[in-house]
CSV table of all heavy atoms in Angstrom, one decimal:
chain,number,residue,atom,x,y,z
A,158,ALA,N,-2.2,7.7,-3.7
A,158,ALA,CA,-1.5,7.2,-2.5
A,158,ALA,C,-2.5,7.2,-1.3
A,158,ALA,O,-2.5,6.4,-0.4
A,158,ALA,CB,-0.3,8.1,-2.2
A,159,ASN,N,-3.4,8.3,-1.2
A,159,ASN,CA,-4.3,8.4,-0.1
A,159,ASN,C,-5.5,7.5,-0.2
A,159,ASN,O,-6.1,7.2,0.8
A,159,ASN,CB,-4.7,9.9,0.1
A,159,ASN,CG,-3.6,10.8,0.5
A,159,ASN,OD1,-2.7,10.3,1.4
A,159,ASN,ND2,-3.5,12.0,0.0
A,160,VAL,N,-5.9,7.2,-1.4
A,160,VAL,CA,-7.1,6.4,-1.6
A,160,VAL,C,-6.8,5.3,-2.6
A,160,VAL,O,-7.2,5.3,-3.8
A,160,VAL,CB,-8.3,7.2,-2.1
A,160,VAL,CG1,-9.6,6.5,-2.0
A,160,VAL,CG2,-8.4,8.6,-1.4
A,161,PRO,N,-6.0,4.3,-2.2
A,161,PRO,CA,-5.5,3.3,-3.2
A,161,PRO,C,-6.6,2.5,-3.9
A,161,PRO,O,-6.4,2.1,-5.1
A,161,PRO,CB,-4.7,2.3,-2.3
A,161,PRO,CG,-4.5,3.0,-1.0
A,161,PRO,CD,-5.5,4.1,-0.9
A,162,ALA,N,-7.8,2.4,-3.3
A,162,ALA,CA,-8.8,1.6,-4.0
A,162,ALA,C,-9.6,2.4,-5.1
A,162,ALA,O,-10.3,1.9,-5.8
A,162,ALA,CB,-9.8,1.1,-3.0
A,163,ALA,N,-9.3,3.7,-5.1
A,163,ALA,CA,-10.0,4.6,-6.1
A,163,ALA,C,-9.3,4.5,-7.5
A,163,ALA,O,-8.2,4.2,-7.6
A,163,ALA,CB,-9.9,6.0,-5.6
A,164,ASP,N,-10.2,4.7,-8.5
A,164,ASP,CA,-9.7,4.6,-9.9
A,164,ASP,C,-9.4,6.1,-10.2
A,164,ASP,O,-10.3,6.9,-10.5
A,164,ASP,CB,-10.8,4.1,-10.7
A,164,ASP,CG,-10.5,4.1,-12.2
A,164,ASP,OD1,-9.4,4.5,-12.6
A,164,ASP,OD2,-11.3,3.6,-13.0
A,165,ILE,N,-8.1,6.4,-10.2
A,165,ILE,CA,-7.7,7.8,-10.5
A,165,ILE,C,-7.3,8.0,-11.9
A,165,ILE,O,-6.5,7.2,-12.5
A,165,ILE,CB,-6.5,8.2,-9.6
A,165,ILE,CG1,-6.8,8.0,-8.1
A,165,ILE,CG2,-6.1,9.6,-9.9
A,165,ILE,CD1,-7.9,8.8,-7.5
A,166,ARG,N,-7.9,9.0,-12.6
A,166,ARG,CA,-7.6,9.3,-14.0
A,166,ARG,C,-7.0,10.7,-14.0
A,166,ARG,O,-7.6,11.7,-13.6
A,166,ARG,CB,-8.9,9.3,-14.8
A,166,ARG,CG,-9.8,8.1,-14.6
A,166,ARG,CD,-9.2,6.9,-15.4
A,166,ARG,NE,-10.0,5.7,-15.2
A,166,ARG,CZ,-10.9,5.4,-16.1
A,166,ARG,NH1,-11.1,6.0,-17.3
A,166,ARG,NH2,-11.7,4.3,-15.8
A,167,CYS,N,-5.8,10.8,-14.6
A,167,CYS,CA,-5.2,12.1,-14.7
A,167,CYS,C,-5.3,12.6,-16.1
A,167,CYS,O,-4.9,12.0,-17.1
A,167,CYS,CB,-3.7,11.9,-14.4
A,167,CYS,SG,-2.9,13.4,-13.9
A,168,GLY,N,-5.9,13.8,-16.2
A,168,GLY,CA,-6.2,14.4,-17.5
A,168,GLY,C,-7.2,15.5,-17.4
A,168,GLY,O,-7.8,15.7,-16.3
A,169,LYS,N,-7.4,16.3,-18.4
A,169,LYS,CA,-8.3,17.4,-18.4
A,169,LYS,C,-9.7,16.8,-18.2
A,169,LYS,O,-10.1,15.9,-18.9
A,169,LYS,CB,-8.3,18.2,-19.7
A,169,LYS,CG,-7.0,19.0,-19.8
A,169,LYS,CD,-7.0,19.7,-21.1
A,169,LYS,CE,-5.7,20.4,-21.3
A,169,LYS,NZ,-5.6,21.1,-22.7
A,170,SER,N,-10.5,17.3,-17.2
A,170,SER,CA,-11.8,16.7,-16.9
A,170,SER,C,-12.7,16.8,-18.1
A,170,SER,O,-13.5,15.8,-18.3
A,170,SER,CB,-12.4,17.3,-15.7
A,170,SER,OG,-12.7,18.7,-15.9
Side-chain angles (χ1 to χ4, degrees):
N159 289 323
V160 194
D164 178 358
I165 305 298
R166 309 286 181 98
C167 200
K169 294 179 183 177
S170 66

